[in-house]
């Protein structure tokens, strides 16, 4: 069920991930865009919930998909100190394996979030699972622990009493972990093989829940685009050196979107940065305060940029000019970022209401709705004709059942 | 670790030796990923073992650092998972004997209980009544929950005296805030008094000094007078003139020490509070702090820890700081900085502190300065 229409010129598929997989936060390109077709649109709980399973713990991390397996993290126990990694069969949701570890860092967080907030990442061979406690586990896809890190044990003031949420990214064969907070704030490049620090750089001392984007140049070089309240730093994943810095500030909750060589940054609304082909510089293309996103990260699909604000209003803008084209009120609020597949935007609000927006309609049109009845704050995964979405208690597979 | 300590008597000498070497590799893991490569190889060897190695792997966690304990848990999880997936079972008796031996660390004993629960819920249930005073907070939670259920049943059936006595037993054992709140609520509904301040061991009598500045959040790093000389007779140059130590006592049930009470709702300020804690012996302990302001703590003049974070949340036991108390008087000095934020949720300039052991059991100062607070 693939269209294979996306071009990979300026953004990178998480290395090793296969087509159809959903290998990390906001998918193969890290921007919430899927090339799947055939997803259900006029959602109907009786027809389109392929399966639903109970999870052993809380979480708002996104599920990952590798082949016919789903991977998801959760946290359980009275103190949320039981860190869980599950592998499920995509066909029926049955548990293939489940692993638990003890949290080594802080398990304090705001009631709305969870210790299983960051989304894991996979290279197709290994799963790298980070938790809000700054504990990081590398497992093979059969659940065998390869190595672990306890980064709050290593750096005792690296913590956030509201919880951490930045997801891992893979760039240039390096695992990049943003551990940014008010005190011992840093980003580190880790060796995939054993978790050792390749580099570690100080970052702005301020809480930050965003996830980096990865730019891949035509020459094959990759740059990690770190977002923070200080703007965007383009960092070489091999050594942590900064190539350029957009210093006009950026949001610390919604993350940027990279598409067509342009980085759409939640900064003063949305600011579009055109990236140099070699990744070593940028120029500001436009800025629009009318595209300001709320918690959810913006999306770019074809020649349109979409943002959801905290009032639940979906705004569509033109990627060339930033001009606002239309607005559509959805039922919010949205804690998780939406995804786009087959020219439809799928958004799940915090009450568990799925809303599908037909982006081909002149001013957008709600084409489907379905109530899952539980708080959902994750960004869905899309793979092999299905959406996967989780709450604090459950994980759903949403698909046309005829595909099963 | 010695073979005997790992409980390897049932394994052959060669297998036991291999296991011991592998466990040693895991126990050698340190910070920043040191030893990870060797640990990964050792883990792969251990994961090939049978379920009969589980008690030895649990014993390998005794005294291990958190990295090593988690590596060993990784091996335990794989072995247990594979065994059950193949239709096998786990050694319930040996795991139960491991659990019942309190010389083992709390976490592997709790893990042993989890493993037993997976294969024999009835056997696990039979263990629960004996876990009421267990060193493992997770295990004693199970026993407290059981008592709570029984007490609620008695209360519902009209047997209030028996219910009260069961609730009292439950409260004495409870260490988790949710259980403590549930029990104290039930007791109060039954007309009984509960002294949560004493149950937790919050320190309620302090001497305060302030305000000092925290302009541009510089106060956290600044060394003000109380950090140089904390004698109660000392005076300092404060933000608004001469500063002296002044007595402060809180009657908050959860021991909240509120700088706003004596000084007003100030911003960009720093305050100090100190108290003397009298320990009956030289002993390890924990200072457990809740604070949403930037803070530092000194024990007997030595900096224990500090954190430069403002208004990201606060809860009981937010920070658990291992310390060594000395017999006799111990001076605890707390520095709390308030920042410039003006939102409603940034008004607080406060902390709560208690002294306890590693299970969260309150350690009370040997001198009860306030009989009303100490009274049950």
């Amino acid at each position: 069920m693939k269209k294979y229409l996306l071009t990979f010129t300026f953004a990178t598929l998480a290395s090793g991930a296969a087509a159809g997989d959903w290998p990390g936060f906001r998918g193969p390109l890290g921007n919430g865009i899927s090339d799947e077709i055939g997803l259900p649109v006029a959602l109907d709980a009786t027809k389109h919930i392929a399966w639903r399973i109970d999870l052993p713990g809380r979480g708002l991390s996104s599920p990952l998909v590798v082949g016919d397996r789903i991977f998801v993290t959760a946290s359980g126990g009275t103190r949320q100190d039981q860190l869980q990694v599950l592998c499920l069969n995509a066909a029926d949701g049955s548990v293939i394996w489940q692993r638990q570890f003890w949290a080594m860092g802080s398990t304090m967080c705001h009631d709305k979030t969870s210790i299983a907030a960051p989304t894991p990442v996979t290279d197709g061979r290994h799963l790298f699972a980070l938790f809000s406690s700054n504990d990081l586990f590398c497992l093979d896809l059969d659940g065998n622990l390869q190595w672990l890190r306890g980064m709050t044990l290593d750096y005792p003031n690296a913590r956030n009493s509201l919880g951490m949420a930045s997801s891992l990214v893979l760039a240039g064969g390096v695992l990049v972990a943003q551990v940014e907070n008010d005190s011992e704030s840093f980003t580190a490049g880790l060796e995939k093989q054993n978790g050792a620090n390749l580099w570690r750089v100080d970052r702005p001392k301020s809480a930050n829940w965003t996830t980096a984007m990865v730019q891949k140049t035509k020459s094959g070089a990759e740059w990690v685009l770190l977002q923070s309240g200080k703007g965007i730093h383009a960092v070489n994943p091999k050594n942590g050196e900064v190539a350029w810095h957009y210093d006009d500030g950026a949001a610390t909750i919604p993350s940027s979107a990279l598409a067509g060589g342009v980085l759409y940054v939640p900064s003063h609304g949305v600011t579009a940065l055109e990236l140099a082909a070699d990744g070593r510089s940028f120029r500001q293309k436009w800025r629009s305060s009318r595209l300001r996103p709320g918690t959810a990260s913006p999306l770019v699909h074809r020649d349109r940029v979409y943002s959801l604000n905290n009032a639940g209003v979906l705004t569509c803008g033109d990627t060339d000019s930033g001009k606002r084209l239309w607005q559509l009120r959805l039922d919010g609020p949205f804690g998780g970022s939406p995804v786009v597949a087959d020219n439809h935007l799928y958004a799940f609000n915090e009450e568990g209401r799925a809303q599908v927006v037909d982006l081909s309609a002149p001013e957008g049109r709600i084409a489907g709705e379905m109530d899952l009845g539980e708080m959902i704050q994750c960004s869905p995964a899309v793979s092999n004709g299905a959406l996967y979405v989780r709450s604090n208690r459950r994980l759903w597979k949403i698909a046309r059942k005829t595909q099963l | 670790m010695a073979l005997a300590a790992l409980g390897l008597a049932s394994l052959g000498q060669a297998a036991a030796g291999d296991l011991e070497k592998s466990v040693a590799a895991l126990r050698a893991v340190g910070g920043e990923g040191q030893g990870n490569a060797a640990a990964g190889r050792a883990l792969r060897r251990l994961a090939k073992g049978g379920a009969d190695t589980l008690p030895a792997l649990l014993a390998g966690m005794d005294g291990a650092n958190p990295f090593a304990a988690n590596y060993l848990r990784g091996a335990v999880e794989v072995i247990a998972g594979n065994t059950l997936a193949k239709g096998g079972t786990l050694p319930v008796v040996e795991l139960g004997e491991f659990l019942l031996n309190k010389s083992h660390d709390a976490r592997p004993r709790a893990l042993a209980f989890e493993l037993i629960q997976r294969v024999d819920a009835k056997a696990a249930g039979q263990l629960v009544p004996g876990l009421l005073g267990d060193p493992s907070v997770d295990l004693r939670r199970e026993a407290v929950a059981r008592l709570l259920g029984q007490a609620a049943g008695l209360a519902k059936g009209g047997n209030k005296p028996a219910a009260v006595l069961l609730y009292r037993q439950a409260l004495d054992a409870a260490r988790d805030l949710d259980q403590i709140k549930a029990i104290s609520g039930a007791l109060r509904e039954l007309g009984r008094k509960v002294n949560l301040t004493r149950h937790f061991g919050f320190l309620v009598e302090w001497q305060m000094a302030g305000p000092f500045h925290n302009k541009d959040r510089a106060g956290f790093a600044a060394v003000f007078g109380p950090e140089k000389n904390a004698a109660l007779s000392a005076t300092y140059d404060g933000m608004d003139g001469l500063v002296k130590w002044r007595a402060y006592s809180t009657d908050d049930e959860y021991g909240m020490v509120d700088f706003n009470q004596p000084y007003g709702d100030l911003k960009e300020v720093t305050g100090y509070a100190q108290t003397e804690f009298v320990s009956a012996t030289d002993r390890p302990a924990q200072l457990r702090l809740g604070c949403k302001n930037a803070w530092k703590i000194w024990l007997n003049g030595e900096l224990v820890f500090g954190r430069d974070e403002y208004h990201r949340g606060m809860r009981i036991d937010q920070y658990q700081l291992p310390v060594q108390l000395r017999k006799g008087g111990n001076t605890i000095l707390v520095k709390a900085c308030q920042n410039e934020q003006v939102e409603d949720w940034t008004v607080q300039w406060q902390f709560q502190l208690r002294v306890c052991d590693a299970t969260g059991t309150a350690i009370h100062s040997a001198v009860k300065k306030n009989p009303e607070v100490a009274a049950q």
Side-chain angles (χ1 to χ4, degrees), chain B residues 236-369:
Chain B
Y236 315 105
D237 291 328
M239 204 169 68
D240 302 318
L242 193 68
V243 167
K244 296 179 179 178
W245 291 100
R246 56 195 290 180
Y248 173 92
S249 178
T250 176
D251 57 3
D252 180 82
E253 187 166 41
Y254 294 98
M256 200 64 70
V257 178
D258 185 357
F259 286 96
N260 282 331
Q261 284 183 0
Y263 299 119
D265 292 349
L266 301 179
K267 286 289 175 182
E268 299 188 287
V269 286
T270 297
Y272 292 86
Q274 67 165 307
T275 190
E276 185 179 56
F277 185 90
V278 180
S279 177
T281 60
D282 291 322
R283 61 167 299 170
Q286 289 187 357
L287 301 181
R288 292 196 177 185
L289 174 81
C291 187
K292 62 185 299 200
N293 307 95
W295 56 270
K296 291 182 180 178
I297 289 186
W298 293 261
L299 176 66
N300 297 325
E302 296 290 326
L303 179 66
V304 178
F305 200 70
R307 175 149 181 79
D308 193 5
E309 179 187 70
Y310 293 90
H311 301 298
R312 299 295 189 192
M314 174 180 183
R315 74 177 183 192
I316 291 171
D317 295 351
Q318 187 174 356
Y319 304 99
Q320 302 181 13
L321 309 167
V323 295
Q324 181 70 27
L325 296 176
R326 65 189 183 201
K327 183 179 179 180
N330 294 265
T331 301
I332 299 169
L333 176 66
V334 178
K335 176 182 190 176
C337 303
Q338 172 65 298
N339 70 351
E340 75 292 340
Q341 287 177 271
V342 295
E343 297 91 339
D344 290 347
W345 44 271
T346 66
V347 170
Q348 293 85 3
W349 180 26
Q350 61 190 26
F351 68 90
Q352 57 189 166
L353 182 72
R354 67 194 191 107
V355 182
C356 58
D357 68 13
T359 70
T361 303
I363 303 172
H364 296 286
S365 182
V367 176
K368 296 176 182 174
K369 294 179 178 176

Side-chain angles (χ1 to χ4, degrees), chain A residues 77-79 81-83 96 98-104 106-110 135 137 142-151 153-163 181-184 193-197 200 205-209, chain B residues 29-34 36-37 39-41 43-44 47 61 66-75 77-78 81-82 107-108 111 114 118 137-138 141 175-176 178 217 220 291 305-315 318-320:
Chain A
T78 309
R79 286 161 288 281
D81 58 354
Q82 302 292 317
L83 309 183
I96 298 172
Q98 178 179 351
R99 302 288 181 259
Q100 283 199 105
F101 301 97
W102 288 297
M104 297 176 277
S106 168
T107 60
M108 181 174 174
C109 65
H110 190 279
D135 298 318
F137 303 90
D142 291 322
N144 297 298
L145 178 65
Q146 305 298 299
W147 53 260
L148 59 81
R149 289 288 305 269
M151 291 186 284
L153 286 178
D154 293 340
Y155 316 108
N157 253 323
R159 58 187 283 176
N160 182 342
S161 297
L162 287 175
N181 58 90
D182 288 340
S183 190
E184 202 167 359
Q193 292 76 12
N194 57 28
N197 288 0
R200 189 169 78 96
K205 286 180 61 166
S206 181
N208 185 7
W209 298 273
Chain B
V29 170
E32 296 191 317
Q34 292 175 24
N36 267 356
R41 292 190 293 271
L43 196 60
R44 286 190 281 279
M61 298 178 189
F67 307 113
N70 259 331
Y71 266 113
L72 285 158
R73 185 171 189 178
E77 295 275 351
V78 169
N82 290 344
R107 280 192 157 178
L111 181 54
E114 282 183 45
R118 288 185 204 177
V137 178
D138 290 321
R141 180 181 177 83
R175 296 293 176 270
D176 287 326
D178 61 326
R217 305 192 184 191
F220 179 78
C291 187
F305 200 70
R307 175 149 181 79
D308 193 5
E309 179 187 70
Y310 293 90
H311 301 298
R312 299 295 189 192
M314 174 180 183
R315 74 177 183 192
Q318 187 174 356
Y319 304 99
Q320 302 181 13

Side-chain angles (χ1 to χ4, degrees), chain A residues 15-39:
Chain A
S15 64
D21 290 348
W22 194 262
F25 181 63
R26 303 184 80 201
L29 304 178
N31 60 7
I33 306 298
S34 167
D35 56 358
E36 289 288 326
I37 59 172
L39 295 171

Side-chain angles (χ1 to χ4, degrees), chain A residues 89-348:
Chain A
N89 185 331
D92 58 10
S94 59
V95 175
I96 298 172
W97 53 258
Q98 178 179 351
R99 302 288 181 259
Q100 283 199 105
F101 301 97
W102 288 297
M104 297 176 277
S106 168
T107 60
M108 181 174 174
C109 65
H110 190 279
D111 288 344
K112 272 185 76 173
T113 182
S114 160
I115 305 309
T119 295
V121 69
T122 179
D123 62 1
R125 294 180 59 235
H126 295 99
L127 182 75
F128 305 93
L130 177 68
F131 292 83
S132 169
S133 52
N134 297 323
D135 298 318
L136 171 58
F137 303 90
C138 171
L139 301 103
D140 68 21
L141 299 192
D142 291 322
N144 297 298
L145 178 65
Q146 305 298 299
W147 53 260
L148 59 81
R149 289 288 305 269
M151 291 186 284
T152 297
L153 286 178
D154 293 340
Y155 316 108
N157 253 323
R159 58 187 283 176
N160 182 342
S161 297
L162 287 175
M164 311 282 287
S166 296
S167 299
L168 299 162
V169 297
L170 285 164
V174 174
L175 186 63
V176 178
Q178 270 182 285
V179 187
E180 301 188 11
N181 58 90
D182 288 340
S183 190
E184 202 167 359
S185 188
F186 68 89
T187 290
L190 310 175
E191 288 194 41
K192 285 199 308 178
Q193 292 76 12
N194 57 28
N197 288 0
L198 283 170
W199 50 267
R200 189 169 78 96
V201 295
D202 290 341
R203 293 285 293 157
K205 286 180 61 166
S206 181
N208 185 7
W209 298 273
T210 65
T211 295
M213 289 297 308
V214 179
Q215 180 196 10
K216 184 172 184 177
T217 67
K218 288 180 179 176
S219 68
E222 294 186 354
W223 297 94
V224 181
L225 308 174
L226 297 173
Q227 180 180 325
S228 72
K230 298 291 187 186
I232 300 289
H233 289 83
V235 169
N236 184 338
K238 304 286 187 188
N239 54 25
E241 291 178 2
V242 175
W244 54 263
H245 178 204
Y246 162 76
D247 62 2
D248 205 11
T252 55
I253 296 177
S255 301
S256 299
L258 177 61
V262 177
L263 187 70
Y264 299 85
V265 183
S267 170
H268 305 279
V270 168
T271 300
L273 306 180
E274 193 165 67
L275 309 184
D278 65 359
R280 295 186 177 279
S281 61
F282 75 97
R283 80 169 180 86
Q284 184 170 317
K285 189 175 178 185
W286 52 256
R287 171 174 287 173
S288 171
S289 62
R290 305 179 86 182
L291 293 171
R292 184 182 304 277
T295 300
S297 302
L299 288 153
V300 177
H301 180 57
R302 298 179 180 169
D303 55 356
R304 297 287 183 265
V305 54
Y306 301 95
S307 69
L308 266 171
N309 69 16
N310 282 333
V313 176
L314 176 66
T315 301
C316 172
D318 177 64
T319 53
D320 280 339
S321 63
K323 180 184 176 185
R324 189 173 75 188
L325 300 176
W326 52 260
Q327 289 188 298
L328 179 67
R329 180 171 290 279
L330 304 183
D331 184 11
F334 295 92
S337 297
V339 293
V340 167
D342 202 9
N343 219 20
H344 288 80
L345 181 144
Y346 292 80
F348 292 77

